[in-house]
mmCIF file of all heavy atoms in Angstrom:
data_model
loop_
_atom_site.group_PDB
_atom_site.id
_atom_site.type_symbol
_atom_site.label_atom_id
_atom_site.label_comp_id
_atom_site.label_asym_id
_atom_site.label_seq_id
_atom_site.Cartn_x
_atom_site.Cartn_y
_atom_site.Cartn_z
ATOM 1 N N GLU A 1 -18.374 8.775 3.625
ATOM 2 C CA GLU A 1 -18.786 10.060 4.199
ATOM 3 C C GLU A 1 -19.644 10.841 3.213
ATOM 4 O O GLU A 1 -20.596 11.512 3.591
ATOM 5 C CB GLU A 1 -17.562 10.874 4.604
ATOM 6 C CG GLU A 1 -16.823 10.321 5.803
ATOM 7 C CD GLU A 1 -17.657 10.402 7.066
ATOM 8 O OE1 GLU A 1 -18.190 11.487 7.367
ATOM 9 O OE2 GLU A 1 -17.794 9.371 7.746
ATOM 10 N N LYS A 2 -19.307 10.754 1.929
ATOM 11 C CA LYS A 2 -20.068 11.469 0.904
ATOM 12 C C LYS A 2 -21.486 10.904 0.802
ATOM 13 O O LYS A 2 -22.459 11.674 0.715
ATOM 14 C CB LYS A 2 -19.350 11.351 -0.442
ATOM 15 C CG LYS A 2 -20.034 12.095 -1.555
ATOM 16 C CD LYS A 2 -19.282 11.958 -2.849
ATOM 17 C CE LYS A 2 -20.026 12.656 -3.959
ATOM 18 N NZ LYS A 2 -19.372 12.494 -5.247
ATOM 19 N N THR A 3 -21.606 9.576 0.832
ATOM 20 C CA THR A 3 -22.942 8.981 0.747
ATOM 21 C C THR A 3 -23.752 9.253 2.001
ATOM 22 O O THR A 3 -24.989 9.260 1.955
ATOM 23 C CB THR A 3 -22.866 7.458 0.519
ATOM 24 O OG1 THR A 3 -22.078 6.870 1.542
ATOM 25 C CG2 THR A 3 -22.280 7.140 -0.841
ATOM 26 N N ALA A 4 -23.076 9.494 3.118
ATOM 27 C CA ALA A 4 -23.778 9.829 4.365
ATOM 28 C C ALA A 4 -24.209 11.289 4.386
ATOM 29 O O ALA A 4 -24.880 11.723 5.322
ATOM 30 C CB ALA A 4 -22.888 9.533 5.570
ATOM 31 N N GLY A 5 -23.819 12.061 3.370
ATOM 32 C CA GLY A 5 -24.252 13.449 3.265
ATOM 33 C C GLY A 5 -23.260 14.454 3.824
ATOM 34 O O GLY A 5 -23.590 15.631 3.966
ATOM 35 N N HIS A 6 -22.051 14.021 4.137
ATOM 36 C CA HIS A 6 -21.046 14.957 4.657
ATOM 37 C C HIS A 6 -20.289 15.627 3.518
ATOM 38 O O HIS A 6 -20.303 15.181 2.373
ATOM 39 C CB HIS A 6 -20.069 14.216 5.581
ATOM 40 C CG HIS A 6 -20.736 13.660 6.799
ATOM 41 N ND1 HIS A 6 -21.072 14.422 7.875
ATOM 42 C CD2 HIS A 6 -21.140 12.395 7.099
ATOM 43 C CE1 HIS A 6 -21.640 13.675 8.795
ATOM 44 N NE2 HIS A 6 -21.707 12.429 8.335
ATOM 45 N N ASN A 7 -19.601 16.691 3.874
ATOM 46 C CA ASN A 7 -18.882 17.502 2.899
ATOM 47 C C ASN A 7 -17.561 16.821 2.527
ATOM 48 O O ASN A 7 -16.753 16.498 3.385
ATOM 49 C CB ASN A 7 -18.609 18.889 3.522
ATOM 50 C CG ASN A 7 -18.087 19.876 2.513
ATOM 51 O OD1 ASN A 7 -17.797 19.534 1.382
ATOM 52 N ND2 ASN A 7 -17.960 21.118 2.951
ATOM 53 N N VAL A 8 -17.335 16.619 1.218
ATOM 54 C CA VAL A 8 -16.110 15.979 0.738
ATOM 55 C C VAL A 8 -14.909 16.885 0.986
ATOM 56 O O VAL A 8 -13.834 16.406 1.368
ATOM 57 C CB VAL A 8 -16.229 15.627 -0.763
ATOM 58 C CG1 VAL A 8 -14.925 15.100 -1.310
ATOM 59 C CG2 VAL A 8 -17.332 14.612 -0.974
ATOM 60 N N LYS A 9 -15.101 18.191 0.818
ATOM 61 C CA LYS A 9 -13.999 19.122 1.017
ATOM 62 C C LYS A 9 -13.479 19.050 2.456
ATOM 63 O O LYS A 9 -12.278 18.955 2.698
ATOM 64 C CB LYS A 9 -14.456 20.549 0.702
ATOM 65 C CG LYS A 9 -13.379 21.581 0.895
ATOM 66 C CD LYS A 9 -13.893 22.981 0.587
ATOM 67 C CE LYS A 9 -12.808 24.001 0.874
ATOM 68 N NZ LYS A 9 -13.285 25.371 0.669
ATOM 69 N N ARG A 10 -14.394 19.054 3.400
ATOM 70 C CA ARG A 10 -14.010 19.016 4.817
ATOM 71 C C ARG A 10 -13.369 17.667 5.174
ATOM 72 O O ARG A 10 -12.384 17.613 5.902
ATOM 73 C CB ARG A 10 -15.252 19.262 5.685
ATOM 74 C CG ARG A 10 -14.981 19.241 7.151
ATOM 75 C CD ARG A 10 -14.209 20.479 7.590
ATOM 76 N NE ARG A 10 -14.021 20.406 9.031
ATOM 77 C CZ ARG A 10 -12.913 20.756 9.641
ATOM 78 N NH1 ARG A 10 -11.905 21.233 8.949
ATOM 79 N NH2 ARG A 10 -12.804 20.663 10.940
ATOM 80 N N THR A 11 -13.909 16.580 4.631
ATOM 81 C CA THR A 11 -13.349 15.254 4.892
ATOM 82 C C THR A 11 -11.926 15.149 4.353
ATOM 83 O O THR A 11 -11.036 14.620 5.025
ATOM 84 C CB THR A 11 -14.230 14.166 4.255
ATOM 85 O OG1 THR A 11 -15.579 14.348 4.671
ATOM 86 C CG2 THR A 11 -13.763 12.785 4.632
ATOM 87 N N CYS A 12 -11.712 15.670 3.164
ATOM 88 C CA CYS A 12 -10.369 15.633 2.577
ATOM 89 C C CYS A 12 -9.399 16.491 3.382
ATOM 90 O O CYS A 12 -8.228 16.120 3.553
ATOM 91 C CB CYS A 12 -10.409 16.101 1.122
ATOM 92 S SG CYS A 12 -11.179 14.912 0.016
ATOM 93 N N GLU A 13 -9.870 17.630 3.881
ATOM 94 C CA GLU A 13 -9.010 18.478 4.706
ATOM 95 C C GLU A 13 -8.618 17.760 5.998
ATOM 96 O O GLU A 13 -7.465 17.825 6.423
ATOM 97 C CB GLU A 13 -9.718 19.792 5.043
ATOM 98 C CG GLU A 13 -9.809 20.761 3.896
ATOM 99 C CD GLU A 13 -10.640 21.992 4.239
ATOM 100 O OE1 GLU A 13 -11.168 22.068 5.370
ATOM 101 O OE2 GLU A 13 -10.769 22.859 3.366
ATOM 102 N N LEU A 14 -9.566 17.078 6.623
ATOM 103 C CA LEU A 14 -9.279 16.369 7.867
ATOM 104 C C LEU A 14 -8.300 15.210 7.654
ATOM 105 O O LEU A 14 -7.455 14.934 8.504
ATOM 106 C CB LEU A 14 -10.572 15.845 8.493
ATOM 107 C CG LEU A 14 -11.497 16.914 9.085
ATOM 108 C CD1 LEU A 14 -12.814 16.277 9.506
ATOM 109 C CD2 LEU A 14 -10.835 17.590 10.270
ATOM 110 N N LEU A 15 -8.429 14.555 6.510
ATOM 111 C CA LEU A 15 -7.546 13.420 6.216
ATOM 112 C C LEU A 15 -6.258 13.841 5.518
ATOM 113 O O LEU A 15 -5.422 12.988 5.209
ATOM 114 C CB LEU A 15 -8.290 12.402 5.347
ATOM 115 C CG LEU A 15 -9.482 11.738 6.020
ATOM 116 C CD1 LEU A 15 -10.237 10.886 5.019
ATOM 117 C CD2 LEU A 15 -9.015 10.893 7.189
ATOM 118 N N LYS A 16 -6.122 15.139 5.270
ATOM 119 C CA LYS A 16 -4.936 15.708 4.609
ATOM 120 C C LYS A 16 -4.703 15.074 3.232
ATOM 121 O O LYS A 16 -3.617 14.620 2.898
ATOM 122 C CB LYS A 16 -3.697 15.553 5.487
ATOM 123 C CG LYS A 16 -3.816 16.332 6.775
ATOM 124 C CD LYS A 16 -2.595 16.205 7.619
ATOM 125 C CE LYS A 16 -2.812 17.005 8.900
ATOM 126 N NZ LYS A 16 -1.751 16.811 9.856
ATOM 127 N N VAL A 17 -5.793 15.017 2.452
ATOM 128 C CA VAL A 17 -5.765 14.507 1.088
ATOM 129 C C VAL A 17 -6.361 15.590 0.203
ATOM 130 O O VAL A 17 -7.385 16.187 0.548
ATOM 131 C CB VAL A 17 -6.606 13.211 0.967
ATOM 132 C CG1 VAL A 17 -6.647 12.719 -0.462
ATOM 133 C CG2 VAL A 17 -6.079 12.151 1.890
ATOM 134 N N SER A 18 -5.734 15.844 -0.924
ATOM 135 C CA SER A 18 -6.305 16.856 -1.810
ATOM 136 C C SER A 18 -7.516 16.280 -2.536
ATOM 137 O O SER A 18 -7.563 15.088 -2.857
ATOM 138 C CB SER A 18 -5.265 17.332 -2.827
ATOM 139 O OG SER A 18 -4.965 16.308 -3.738
ATOM 140 N N ARG A 19 -8.484 17.137 -2.765
ATOM 141 C CA ARG A 19 -9.686 16.682 -3.468
ATOM 142 C C ARG A 19 -9.344 16.261 -4.890
ATOM 143 O O ARG A 19 -9.922 15.310 -5.423
ATOM 144 C CB ARG A 19 -10.741 17.797 -3.494
ATOM 145 C CG ARG A 19 -11.479 17.926 -2.191
ATOM 146 C CD ARG A 19 -12.647 18.862 -2.312
ATOM 147 N NE ARG A 19 -12.182 20.207 -2.661
ATOM 148 C CZ ARG A 19 -12.936 21.137 -3.228
ATOM 149 N NH1 ARG A 19 -14.185 20.878 -3.514
ATOM 150 N NH2 ARG A 19 -12.450 22.323 -3.495
ATOM 151 N N THR A 20 -8.392 16.950 -5.490
ATOM 152 C CA THR A 20 -7.994 16.620 -6.858
ATOM 153 C C THR A 20 -7.455 15.196 -6.923
ATOM 154 O O THR A 20 -7.813 14.424 -7.822
ATOM 155 C CB THR A 20 -6.919 17.608 -7.346
ATOM 156 O OG1 THR A 20 -7.387 18.939 -7.147
ATOM 157 C CG2 THR A 20 -6.597 17.391 -8.798
ATOM 158 N N ALA A 21 -6.594 14.844 -5.975
ATOM 159 C CA ALA A 21 -6.031 13.496 -5.962
ATOM 160 C C ALA A 21 -7.126 12.465 -5.703
ATOM 161 O O ALA A 21 -7.123 11.380 -6.306
ATOM 162 C CB ALA A 21 -4.946 13.393 -4.898
ATOM 163 N N HIS A 22 -8.054 12.793 -4.820
ATOM 164 C CA HIS A 22 -9.150 11.857 -4.524
ATOM 165 C C HIS A 22 -9.972 11.577 -5.775
ATOM 166 O O HIS A 22 -10.257 10.419 -6.100
ATOM 167 C CB HIS A 22 -10.045 12.424 -3.421
ATOM 168 C CG HIS A 22 -11.346 11.720 -3.288
ATOM 169 N ND1 HIS A 22 -11.450 10.422 -2.855
ATOM 170 C CD2 HIS A 22 -12.616 12.136 -3.560
ATOM 171 C CE1 HIS A 22 -12.720 10.072 -2.860
ATOM 172 N NE2 HIS A 22 -13.448 11.090 -3.273
ATOM 173 N N TYR A 23 -10.355 12.619 -6.491
ATOM 174 C CA TYR A 23 -11.181 12.414 -7.682
ATOM 175 C C TYR A 23 -10.381 11.772 -8.812
ATOM 176 O O TYR A 23 -10.932 11.029 -9.618
ATOM 177 C CB TYR A 23 -11.809 13.730 -8.128
ATOM 178 C CG TYR A 23 -12.947 14.148 -7.220
ATOM 179 C CD1 TYR A 23 -12.872 15.310 -6.468
ATOM 180 C CD2 TYR A 23 -14.085 13.371 -7.104
ATOM 181 C CE1 TYR A 23 -13.903 15.689 -5.632
ATOM 182 C CE2 TYR A 23 -15.126 13.735 -6.262
ATOM 183 C CZ TYR A 23 -15.027 14.901 -5.538
ATOM 184 O OH TYR A 23 -16.053 15.261 -4.704
ATOM 185 N N ALA A 24 -9.077 12.036 -8.872
ATOM 186 C CA ALA A 24 -8.247 11.394 -9.898
ATOM 187 C C ALA A 24 -8.153 9.887 -9.643
ATOM 188 O O ALA A 24 -8.239 9.076 -10.571
ATOM 189 C CB ALA A 24 -6.854 12.013 -9.910
ATOM 190 N N ARG A 25 -7.975 9.496 -8.365
ATOM 191 C CA ARG A 25 -7.926 8.069 -8.033
ATOM 192 C C ARG A 25 -9.281 7.410 -8.239
ATOM 193 O O ARG A 25 -9.370 6.219 -8.542
ATOM 194 C CB ARG A 25 -7.470 7.880 -6.584
ATOM 195 C CG ARG A 25 -5.987 8.046 -6.397
ATOM 196 C CD ARG A 25 -5.557 7.576 -5.025
ATOM 197 N NE ARG A 25 -6.217 8.283 -3.946
ATOM 198 C CZ ARG A 25 -5.748 9.371 -3.350
ATOM 199 N NH1 ARG A 25 -4.608 9.889 -3.743
ATOM 200 N NH2 ARG A 25 -6.407 9.952 -2.369
ATOM 201 N N ARG A 26 -10.326 8.183 -8.076
ATOM 202 C CA ARG A 26 -11.676 7.661 -8.244
ATOM 203 C C ARG A 26 -11.943 7.268 -9.692
ATOM 204 O O ARG A 26 -12.639 6.288 -9.965
ATOM 205 C CB ARG A 26 -12.658 8.737 -7.808
ATOM 206 C CG ARG A 26 -14.056 8.281 -7.640
ATOM 207 C CD ARG A 26 -14.858 9.378 -7.015
ATOM 208 N NE ARG A 26 -16.264 9.167 -7.278
ATOM 209 C CZ ARG A 26 -17.178 10.099 -7.232
ATOM 210 N NH1 ARG A 26 -16.830 11.327 -6.911
ATOM 211 N NH2 ARG A 26 -18.422 9.828 -7.472
ATOM 212 N N LYS A 27 -11.352 8.031 -10.628
ATOM 213 C CA LYS A 27 -11.502 7.704 -12.047
ATOM 214 C C LYS A 27 -10.799 6.396 -12.396
ATOM 215 O O LYS A 27 -11.209 5.700 -13.308
ATOM 216 C CB LYS A 27 -10.917 8.812 -12.926
ATOM 217 C CG LYS A 27 -11.755 10.058 -12.986
ATOM 218 C CD LYS A 27 -11.110 11.055 -13.912
ATOM 219 C CE LYS A 27 -11.888 12.344 -13.962
ATOM 220 N NZ LYS A 27 -11.213 13.354 -14.799
ATOM 221 N N GLY A 28 -9.731 6.094 -11.684
ATOM 222 C CA GLY A 28 -9.025 4.841 -11.918
ATOM 223 C C GLY A 28 -8.004 4.897 -13.032
ATOM 224 O O GLY A 28 -7.452 3.876 -13.407
ATOM 225 N N LEU A 29 -7.751 6.060 -13.591
ATOM 226 C CA LEU A 29 -6.741 6.167 -14.639
ATOM 227 C C LEU A 29 -5.350 6.158 -14.013
ATOM 228 O O LEU A 29 -5.121 6.806 -12.993
ATOM 229 C CB LEU A 29 -6.943 7.457 -15.438
ATOM 230 C CG LEU A 29 -8.257 7.589 -16.184
ATOM 231 C CD1 LEU A 29 -8.367 8.960 -16.822
ATOM 232 C CD2 LEU A 29 -8.377 6.504 -17.231
ATOM 233 N N PRO A 30 -4.423 5.436 -14.610
ATOM 234 C CA PRO A 30 -3.068 5.439 -14.053
ATOM 235 C C PRO A 30 -2.396 6.793 -14.273
ATOM 236 O O PRO A 30 -2.631 7.474 -15.279
ATOM 237 C CB PRO A 30 -2.360 4.341 -14.835
ATOM 238 C CG PRO A 30 -3.130 4.197 -16.096
ATOM 239 C CD PRO A 30 -4.542 4.567 -15.768
ATOM 240 N N GLY A 31 -1.571 7.154 -13.333
ATOM 241 C CA GLY A 31 -0.855 8.415 -13.422
ATOM 242 C C GLY A 31 0.299 8.336 -14.402
ATOM 243 O O GLY A 31 0.617 7.273 -14.940
ATOM 244 N N PRO A 32 0.968 9.471 -14.638
ATOM 245 C CA PRO A 32 2.069 9.479 -15.600
ATOM 246 C C PRO A 32 3.233 8.585 -15.183
ATOM 247 O O PRO A 32 3.879 7.965 -16.019
ATOM 248 C CB PRO A 32 2.490 10.946 -15.657
ATOM 249 C CG PRO A 32 1.830 11.615 -14.522
ATOM 250 C CD PRO A 32 0.676 10.791 -14.108
ATOM 251 N N ARG A 33 3.484 8.489 -13.879
ATOM 252 C CA ARG A 33 4.583 7.638 -13.427
ATOM 253 C C ARG A 33 4.267 6.166 -13.683
ATOM 254 O O ARG A 33 5.129 5.391 -14.109
ATOM 255 C CB ARG A 33 4.850 7.857 -11.945
ATOM 256 C CG ARG A 33 5.993 7.012 -11.432
ATOM 257 C CD ARG A 33 6.249 7.255 -9.986
ATOM 258 N NE ARG A 33 7.304 6.373 -9.519
ATOM 259 C CZ ARG A 33 7.612 6.192 -8.271
ATOM 260 N NH1 ARG A 33 6.954 6.833 -7.326
ATOM 261 N NH2 ARG A 33 8.573 5.377 -7.922
ATOM 262 N N ALA A 34 3.029 5.763 -13.425
ATOM 263 C CA ALA A 34 2.639 4.376 -13.662
ATOM 264 C C ALA A 34 2.710 4.023 -15.146
ATOM 265 O O ALA A 34 3.120 2.916 -15.515
ATOM 266 C CB ALA A 34 1.234 4.125 -13.124
ATOM 267 N N VAL A 35 2.323 4.968 -15.993
ATOM 268 C CA VAL A 35 2.387 4.747 -17.443
ATOM 269 C C VAL A 35 3.839 4.588 -17.877
ATOM 270 O O VAL A 35 4.185 3.674 -18.632
ATOM 271 C CB VAL A 35 1.703 5.906 -18.201
ATOM 272 C CG1 VAL A 35 1.941 5.807 -19.691
ATOM 273 C CG2 VAL A 35 0.217 5.916 -17.904
ATOM 274 N N ARG A 36 4.705 5.466 -17.380
ATOM 275 C CA ARG A 36 6.132 5.399 -17.722
ATOM 276 C C ARG A 36 6.761 4.117 -17.179
ATOM 277 O O ARG A 36 7.601 3.503 -17.847
ATOM 278 C CB ARG A 36 6.846 6.635 -17.161
ATOM 279 C CG ARG A 36 8.316 6.689 -17.454
ATOM 280 C CD ARG A 36 8.591 6.983 -18.911
ATOM 281 N NE ARG A 36 10.018 7.114 -19.100
ATOM 282 C CZ ARG A 36 10.695 6.524 -20.060
ATOM 283 N NH1 ARG A 36 10.062 5.810 -20.961
ATOM 284 N NH2 ARG A 36 11.988 6.671 -20.167
#
């Protein structure tokens, strides 16, 4: 959707996903639970 020119904020709201979580998963770094 982002490459098609749509708004990431609106897409995340529709899918009920926080933008913060989306960008964190995009980086690919494991979370604190995975590290532990």
Side-chain angles (χ1 to χ4, degrees):
E1 290 294 309
K2 182 179 177 183
T3 55
H6 296 282
N7 190 353
V8 174
K9 179 181 176 183
R10 180 72 178 140
T11 308
C12 288
E13 286 174 358
L14 289 173
L15 295 173
K16 296 181 181 173
V17 177
S18 69
R19 281 189 298 158
T20 308
H22 166 67
Y23 285 116
R25 282 192 301 268
R26 192 171 159 201
K27 286 182 182 176
L29 298 175
R33 181 179 177 191
V35 171
R36 180 72 176 133

